[in-house]
Amino acid sequence: MEESKLIFISGGVRSGKSSFAESIAINHAKMINGNLHYLACGKATDPEMLDRIAHHKETRNSSELPWTNWECPTNIGKLSPNFKQGDVILLDCLTTLLNNELFIDERAWEKESYQEQIYHAILEDIKNIRDQCSILIIVSNEVFNEVLPKSEIVFAYERLLGYLHQSITKQSSSAYLIESGLPHVMKGEVNELC
């Protein structure tokens, strides 16, 4: 079986990364005559997040191709049996997934062994999903340039996210940084944007 394609897309808050990822997913689904799946990791924890989730759903519902939506804030690997070759999966977003996994237990994040366990579990879940589909697109936030309060919890989160970004980018065929709605190719070919 041919290894699936992995595409990594990151950017700041409201940079346009999700819209860009959706357009890439649609283009790939058209090229391979595949099915679109949206793996949503967000939880409606406040009115702003509720509005963002509703906006993303509305965008997908008005898409030229149909999407199958999966809401899974943790343990995304359990969905892998639902996918098959020819599927294009958009995971949105890694930042939220890490947050959900890391802070399930209020104090466990303080243990380095727990942080390592979360890191490996997320990568294993991504591998399991990737093994079942043709194309996996992962969206994440670039939080490293934002001014965040410096604390042990923020440092642990940033460090883990940085390691995840590096590992995923190393495995990816393409990586993009989105700024003000404009994609910058960090790895791979520009022709994928067409």
PDB file of all heavy atoms in Angstrom, residues 3 45 98 181:
ATOM      1  N   GLU A   3       2.190   4.926   0.801  1.00  0.00           N
ATOM      2  CA  GLU A   3       2.097   5.766   1.995  1.00  0.00           C
ATOM      3  C   GLU A   3       1.265   7.007   1.690  1.00  0.00           C
ATOM      4  O   GLU A   3       1.388   7.605   0.630  1.00  0.00           O
ATOM      5  CB  GLU A   3       3.490   6.175   2.462  1.00  0.00           C
ATOM      6  CG  GLU A   3       3.455   6.932   3.769  1.00  0.00           C
ATOM      7  CD  GLU A   3       4.843   7.259   4.304  1.00  0.00           C
ATOM      8  OE1 GLU A   3       5.683   7.719   3.512  1.00  0.00           O
ATOM      9  OE2 GLU A   3       5.053   7.039   5.491  1.00  0.00           O
ATOM     10  N   THR A  45     -16.314  25.864  24.463  1.00  0.00           N
ATOM     11  CA  THR A  45     -16.125  26.188  25.875  1.00  0.00           C
ATOM     12  C   THR A  45     -16.542  27.614  26.229  1.00  0.00           C
ATOM     13  O   THR A  45     -16.675  27.943  27.393  1.00  0.00           O
ATOM     14  CB  THR A  45     -14.649  25.998  26.272  1.00  0.00           C
ATOM     15  OG1 THR A  45     -13.837  26.758  25.371  1.00  0.00           O
ATOM     16  CG2 THR A  45     -14.259  24.533  26.193  1.00  0.00           C
ATOM     17  N   LEU A  98      -3.798  19.131  21.384  1.00  0.00           N
ATOM     18  CA  LEU A  98      -2.788  19.076  22.446  1.00  0.00           C
ATOM     19  C   LEU A  98      -3.349  19.639  23.743  1.00  0.00           C
ATOM     20  O   LEU A  98      -3.165  19.051  24.814  1.00  0.00           O
ATOM     21  CB  LEU A  98      -1.518  19.820  22.037  1.00  0.00           C
ATOM     22  CG  LEU A  98      -0.438  19.945  23.122  1.00  0.00           C
ATOM     23  CD1 LEU A  98       0.041  18.568  23.588  1.00  0.00           C
ATOM     24  CD2 LEU A  98       0.725  20.791  22.621  1.00  0.00           C
ATOM     25  N   GLY A 181      -3.666  35.458   5.370  1.00  0.00           N
ATOM     26  CA  GLY A 181      -4.338  34.762   4.291  1.00  0.00           C
ATOM     27  C   GLY A 181      -3.440  34.304   3.162  1.00  0.00           C
ATOM     28  O   GLY A 181      -3.903  33.686   2.208  1.00  0.00           O
TER      29      GLY A 181
END
